[in-house]
């Protein structure tokens, strides 16, 4: 478009700031009766009294697009004094169809003199907003104090917002642009939507509907309701007539649905693409009716596609859900109700019709409900029942439980377990007479004769058995004699306890005995006594996997290491009162002493004898005493036994012989050797001996 300068002829007292150059924007017609002085200068123009008065001014304006930003100097009559402008242009951008009567003219200027105090700002001309492009809005600024005035042309851009286009068959024929305006009360306008000159022809196709626009709310039953606004255009209308009949603006609510019908799809070739870059841009539609949710972020197309019916084939009694009967669209947010509107008969062979509710979720939180009709065909039952097994714990020798106790989650497509239509019986019964983990087999038969076999695990235990879900452990209480532990290693002790307690273990899940995997606590084994003076109780922990229990162990003292009996008194023969030293033999040559040792552990032991003082005549305290009178003969060696000193006369070792007899012949062992001189005749001399049995390592 060719650019030319604009000249303003005026005979008023006015200060003008020229705007950008225009192409045919303003055409001024003036009288020729007065001469006009053309003044070239800056935008800052000071007014001065005008000598010639204006008699008449006539201006005809045609709104067209601005194409540049050059300044031009107006022609003014009289001398003007340079001064600052009253305000400067503030370019604006509006969405197609904006109602400028609701826009304050102050919006179009900035830097208003005197901070806007005592200043009047008003429209001179306003552009139409029903066509996209860049236009001019003219405002007048008046200083009410000095009466100085300034007119300002402000570039004003009209662009597509959240806009939907419908059109007829040809590029230059009818075009409809539905633009959504946001705010506390959103509204929709309908404009031709392109540059001037478009949409003035008849749409196309005489007397048939070309455009339709309707706005509906969602009803309480989630349907698209009756339109509260609806407009259409016939083939003999122009698009401008359609826009006028739309009666803009139309107040709407977010969450409502707008439906539009367009005769011909694809974007019009005459759309200026450079102005279709903001918000949703220029959206064109395919032929047919389209539905959009009105949202705070623009139009959101809904009901673009719908769920389709899907036929279902299943066996008698099978589970069929509403989701099985529909195929949802790949795009959009769709859900299927959990319940049927019309449910199939799943217990009867044949085909039945079903109805399913499908919901399309909207941004507003509401949803649009639609009904899909499909069919379900039920065939005869050929599928056996199903069930899960449950491991049973049974006490030894208890009654055999009912077979259904081994099962859970029993199901059959056609039969209901609770109505006894599924027969449950043993194929192989469990036995309760033997300890351990085993399996039994159970049969489930439905009314159609379909059979399922289940192998169920069970575990039989007794009062000495513990178990969990995986393992079983058993051990009997043990009584052990001290003598059985004496001299044993830890391994030998463990072997003895295992044998006596009959330790057993089972892997219940694997249904096998794993007694060799049972571990006994080595610490508890080590704590068993090597010597016990009384009956004592202990426990030994045993474990298998994650299962642990205790074995009760009682240790009894059966070990004897002592004199088998109190030794008989040592009596000696009477002797004559002579002056020489004499040896006196025992009256009982078979006198002996016995030791009982049941330890059988190889330990050494010894016997000592301590003569508790000299032989005395207890009837006469003043009588002569016989000191160190006792001797011990072993072989050819005779040893004098000193009074009050322990004499080791025998050493032995613990072995299999539990009774040891120590004896001497007549001329061996204990005898007396004394000098009878001074001894009282016919008197009885005696002393005592302390016998000591020593366990010597």
């Amino acid at each position: 478009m060719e650019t030319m300068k604009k000249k303003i002829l005026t005979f008023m007292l006015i200060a003008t700031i020229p705007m950008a150059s225009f192409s045919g924007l303003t055409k001024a017609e003036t009288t020729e009766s007065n001469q006009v002085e053309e003044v070239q200068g800056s935008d800052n123009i000071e007014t001065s009294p005008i000598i010639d008065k204006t008699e008449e001014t006539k201006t005809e304006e045609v709104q067209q697009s601005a194409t540049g930003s050059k300044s031009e100097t107006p022609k003014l009559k009289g001398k003007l004094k340079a001064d600052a402008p009253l305000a400067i242009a503030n370019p604006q951008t509006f969405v197609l169809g904006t109602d400028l009567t609701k826009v304050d003219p102050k919006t179009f200027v900035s830097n208003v003199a005197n901070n806007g105090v005592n200043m009047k700002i008003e429209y001179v001309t306003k552009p139409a907003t029903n066509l996209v492009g860049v236009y001019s809005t003219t405002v007048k600024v008046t200083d009410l104090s000095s009466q100085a005035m300034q007119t300002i042309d402000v570039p004003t851009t009209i662009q597509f917002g959240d806009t939907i286009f419908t059109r007829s068959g040809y590029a230059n024929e009818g075009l409809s642009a539905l633009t959504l305006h946001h705010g506390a009360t959103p509204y929709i306008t309908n404009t031709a939507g392109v540059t001037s000159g478009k949409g003035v022809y008849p749409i196309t196709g005489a007397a048939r509907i070309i455009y339709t626009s309707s706005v509906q709310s969602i009803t309480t039953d989630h349907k698209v309701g009756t339109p509260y606004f609806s407009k259409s255009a016939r083939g003999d209308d122009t698009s401008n007539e359609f826009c006028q009949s739309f009666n803009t603006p139309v107040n709407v609510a977010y969450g409502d649905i707008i439906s539009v019908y367009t005769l011909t799809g694809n974007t019009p070739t005459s759309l200026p693409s450079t102005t279709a870059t903001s918000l949703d841009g220029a959206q064109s539609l395919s032929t047919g009716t389209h539905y959009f949710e009105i949202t705070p972020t623009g139009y959101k197309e809904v009901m673009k596609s719908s769920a389709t019916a899907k036929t279902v084939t299943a066996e008698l009694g099978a589970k069929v859900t509403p989701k099985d009967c529909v195929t949802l669209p790949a795009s959009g947010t769709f859900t299927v109700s959990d319940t049927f509107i019309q449910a199939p008969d799943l217990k009867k062979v044949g085909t039945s019709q079903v109805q399913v509710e499908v919901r399309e979720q909207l941004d507003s939180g509401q949803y649009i409900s639609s009904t899909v009709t499909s069919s379900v065909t039920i065939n005869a039952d050929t599928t056996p029942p199903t069930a899960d097994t449950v491991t049973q714990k049974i006490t030894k020798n208890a009654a055999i439980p009912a077979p259904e106790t081994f099962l859970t989650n029993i199901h059959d497509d056609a039969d209901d377990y609770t109505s006894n239509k599924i027969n449950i019986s043993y194929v192989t019964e469990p036995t309760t007479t033997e300890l351990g983990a085993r399996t039994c087999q159970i049969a489930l038969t439905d009314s159609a004769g379909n059979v399922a076999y289940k192998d169920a695990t069970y575990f039989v235990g007794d009062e000495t058995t513990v178990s969990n879900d995986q393992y079983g452990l058993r051990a009997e209480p043990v009584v052990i004699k001290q003598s059985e532990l004496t001299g044993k290693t830890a391994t030998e002790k463990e072997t003895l306890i295992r044998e006596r307690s009959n330790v057993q273990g089972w892997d219940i899940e694997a249904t096998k005995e794993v007694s060799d995997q049972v571990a006994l606590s080595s610490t508890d084994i080590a704590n068993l006594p090597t010597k016990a003076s009384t009956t004592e109780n202990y426990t030994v922990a045993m474990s298998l996997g994650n299962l642990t229990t205790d074995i009760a162990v009682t240790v009894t003292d059966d070990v004897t290491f002592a004199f088998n009996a109190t030794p008989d008194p040592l009596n000696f023969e009477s002797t004559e009162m002579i002056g020489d030293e004499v040896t006196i033999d025992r009256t009982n040559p078979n006198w002996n002493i016995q030791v009982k040792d049941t330890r059988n552990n190889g330990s050494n032991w010894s016997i000592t004898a301590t003569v508790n003082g000299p032989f005395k005549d207890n009837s006469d305290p003043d009588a002569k005493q016989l000191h160190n009178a006792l001797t011990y003969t072993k072989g050819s060696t005779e040893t004098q036994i000193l009074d009050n000193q322990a004499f080791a006369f025998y050493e032995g070792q613990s072995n299999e012989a539990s009774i040891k007899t120590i004896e001497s012949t007549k001329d061996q062992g204990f005898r007396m050797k004394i000098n009878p001189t001074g001894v009282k005749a016919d008197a009885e001399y005696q002393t005592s001996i302390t016998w000591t049995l020593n366990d010597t390592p």
Side-chain angles (χ1 to χ4, degrees):
M1 185 180 294
E2 183 181 356
T3 302
M4 61 181 181
K5 287 190 175 181
K6 176 182 71 170
K7 293 185 178 181
I8 298 178
L9 304 180
T10 182
F11 294 91
M12 297 177 63
L13 182 61
I14 186 169
T16 302
I17 294 180
M19 62 169 287
S21 60
F22 296 87
S23 175
L25 181 63
T26 303
K27 178 180 179 183
E29 295 180 358
T30 63
T31 64
E32 297 283 338
S33 59
N34 295 309
Q35 292 183 350
V36 178
E37 181 180 0
E38 185 174 352
V39 180
Q40 302 288 340
S42 68
D43 286 345
N44 297 327
I45 302 174
E46 181 178 313
T47 62
S48 59
I50 296 178
I51 298 174
D52 296 316
K53 292 184 178 180
T54 300
E55 303 217 348
E56 182 179 2
T57 299
K58 181 180 180 183
T59 303
E60 177 181 306
E61 295 184 350
V62 179
Q63 187 179 41
Q64 294 186 7
S65 298
T67 60
S69 59
K70 276 190 172 183
S71 299
E72 84 172 48
T73 304
K75 278 192 174 182
L76 301 174
K77 184 175 180 181
K79 294 183 179 180
L80 298 178
K81 183 178 180 182
D83 200 359
L86 298 180
I88 62 174
N90 185 22
Q92 295 295 307
T93 298
F94 296 103
V95 171
L96 193 68
T98 300
D99 184 2
L100 290 183
T101 61
K102 298 179 181 179
V103 179
D104 193 325
K106 294 178 182 179
T107 305
F108 292 86
V109 294
S110 62
N111 294 359
V112 180
N114 300 326
N115 292 324
V117 177
N118 213 24
M119 303 293 289
K120 181 179 180 181
I121 302 172
E122 56 190 322
Y123 285 113
V124 177
T125 60
K126 291 182 290 187
T129 61
N130 62 337
L131 299 174
V132 294
V134 181
Y135 307 106
S136 176
T137 301
T138 304
V139 296
K140 180 172 71 175
V141 182
T142 303
D143 185 344
L144 299 178
S145 299
S146 65
Q147 297 303 311
M149 292 181 294
Q150 178 184 356
T151 58
I152 304 174
D153 291 331
V154 183
T156 303
T157 300
I158 306 302
Q159 67 179 16
F160 299 121
D162 293 324
T163 303
I164 301 172
F165 289 95
T166 60
R167 64 181 292 255
S168 60
Y170 299 97
N172 292 331
E173 292 183 353
L175 182 68
S176 173
L178 297 170
T179 301
L180 174 61
H181 301 263
H182 297 285
T185 304
Y187 63 93
I188 293 176
T189 59
N190 190 11
T191 63
V194 290
T195 55
S196 63
K198 307 302 180 188
V200 296
Y201 304 106
I203 298 173
T204 187
R208 61 176 174 150
I209 298 298
I210 304 301
Y211 302 139
T212 299
S213 294
S214 299
V215 185
Q216 300 125 293
S217 297
I218 303 299
T219 64
T220 55
D221 59 348
H222 307 288
K223 305 293 183 183
V224 177
T226 302
Y228 60 80
F229 172 83
S230 181
K231 289 290 182 180
S232 61
R234 298 177 305 150
D236 53 359
D237 290 334
T238 67
S239 59
N240 283 346
E241 290 171 339
F242 178 43
C243 294
Q244 292 168 7
S245 70
F246 199 84
N247 191 26
T248 57
V250 176
N251 291 336
V252 296
Y254 291 128
D256 285 353
I257 303 296
I258 181 170
S259 61
V260 294
Y261 167 79
T262 181
L263 178 67
T264 306
N266 63 62
T267 304
T269 56
S270 58
L271 276 179
S273 60
T274 56
T275 62
T277 57
S278 67
L279 300 176
D280 284 349
Q283 179 181 6
S284 63
L285 302 178
S286 60
T287 301
T289 301
H290 297 259
Y291 299 87
F292 297 86
E293 181 187 6
I294 301 170
T295 79
T297 57
Y299 294 113
K300 176 188 175 184
E301 189 166 4
V302 295
M303 302 170 65
K304 189 173 183 179
S305 55
S306 59
T308 57
K310 182 169 64 175
T311 58
V312 176
T313 300
E315 289 188 356
L316 192 67
K319 183 179 180 181
V320 177
T321 68
K323 290 182 180 179
D324 299 328
C325 301
V326 294
T327 300
L328 296 180
S331 60
T333 305
F334 291 86
T335 59
V336 180
S337 174
D338 292 333
T339 57
F340 284 100
I341 298 174
Q342 179 178 328
D345 186 352
L346 302 178
K347 298 184 179 298
K348 180 180 179 182
V349 174
T351 300
S352 57
Q353 188 180 79
V354 296
Q355 288 186 333
V356 175
E357 180 190 19
V358 177
R359 300 172 179 178
E360 181 174 6
Q361 195 67 38
L362 302 179
D363 280 8
S364 64
Q366 302 182 89
Y367 65 87
I368 300 172
S369 174
S370 60
T371 300
V372 176
T373 300
S374 182
S375 63
V376 175
T377 299
I378 301 301
N379 296 324
D381 180 18
T382 60
T383 303
T386 60
D388 297 323
T389 59
V390 179
T391 299
Q392 292 295 309
K393 305 291 182 65
I394 308 173
T395 302
K396 186 178 179 182
N397 296 323
I400 296 174
E404 53 265 27
T405 61
F406 286 87
L407 303 175
T408 186
N409 298 328
I410 301 170
H411 171 76
D412 185 72
D413 289 344
D415 294 327
D416 184 3
Y417 165 65
T418 59
S419 63
N420 298 319
K421 290 185 178 180
I422 301 176
N423 179 264
I424 302 174
S425 60
Y426 283 117
V427 178
T428 56
E429 285 190 346
T431 176
T432 64
T433 59
E434 299 179 19
L435 298 172
R438 296 174 182 81
T439 59
C440 61
Q441 191 174 68
I442 300 170
L444 296 88
T445 307
D446 64 17
S447 59
N450 302 303
V451 183
Y453 297 97
K454 306 297 291 186
D455 291 328
T457 301
Y458 66 96
F459 178 71
V460 178
D462 60 11
E463 66 278 359
T464 63
T465 305
V466 295
S467 62
N468 58 19
D469 290 341
Q470 187 171 359
Y471 296 107
L473 269 177
R474 179 186 181 278
E476 299 170 3
V478 177
V479 177
I480 299 179
K481 297 178 180 180
Q482 175 65 52
S483 60
E484 294 176 304
L485 295 176
T486 303
K488 294 285 195 303
T489 64
T491 301
E492 291 170 334
K493 290 179 181 179
E494 179 177 335
T495 300
L496 178 62
I497 292 172
R498 281 181 182 274
E499 292 174 350
R500 294 286 181 85
S501 64
N502 191 24
V503 171
Q504 291 175 284
W506 296 272
D507 186 330
I508 298 175
E509 289 185 351
T511 63
K512 64 179 181 179
E513 184 172 350
V514 288
S515 299
D516 58 336
Q517 297 179 22
V518 178
L520 270 60
S521 168
S522 59
T523 300
D524 292 346
I525 295 290
N527 288 338
L528 293 176
T530 57
K531 182 176 182 179
S533 58
T534 59
T535 298
E536 300 180 22
N537 297 318
Y538 300 87
T539 59
V540 174
M542 64 175 181
S543 60
L544 176 61
N546 58 355
L547 180 62
T548 300
T549 190
D550 290 333
I551 304 170
V553 178
T554 301
V555 180
T556 60
D557 180 14
D558 73 323
V559 175
T560 301
F561 176 54
F563 292 108
N564 191 40
T566 303
D568 293 335
L570 273 170
N571 295 321
F572 296 91
E573 296 177 348
S574 298
T575 187
E576 292 186 51
M577 303 277 300
I578 58 177
D580 297 328
E581 186 177 60
V582 295
T583 298
I584 305 173
D585 293 325
R586 302 183 303 277
T587 59
N588 180 9
N590 296 319
W591 178 93
N592 62 73
I593 188 169
Q594 288 184 330
V595 173
K596 185 176 182 179
D597 184 2
T598 61
R599 295 175 301 169
N600 190 23
N601 60 3
S603 298
N604 296 321
W605 54 269
S606 64
I607 299 175
T608 60
T610 302
V611 179
N612 300 314
F615 282 83
K616 299 178 182 178
D617 177 3
N618 292 330
S619 63
D620 184 1
D622 296 328
K624 179 181 177 180
Q625 297 180 353
L626 303 176
H627 294 276
N628 303 321
L630 199 62
T631 64
Y632 186 79
T633 302
K634 185 176 182 180
S636 59
T637 303
E638 183 181 57
T639 303
Q640 184 179 24
I641 300 174
L642 301 178
D643 294 340
N644 299 311
Q645 290 188 18
F647 170 68
F649 81 97
Y650 187 83
E651 292 181 351
Q653 189 178 52
S654 178
N655 51 40
E656 293 181 356
S658 59
I659 303 295
K660 178 64 178 177
T661 301
I662 302 99
E663 59 184 348
S664 304
T665 59
K666 181 178 180 181
D667 57 352
Q668 295 285 305
F670 291 102
R671 294 191 295 176
M672 289 186 68
K673 183 174 253 189
I674 62 171
N675 188 333
T677 303
V679 176
K680 185 176 179 181
D682 298 323
E684 183 177 271
Y685 284 81
Q686 64 182 22
T687 187
S688 65
I689 298 177
T690 299
W691 304 97
T692 304
L693 180 61
N694 303 293
D695 183 5
T696 56

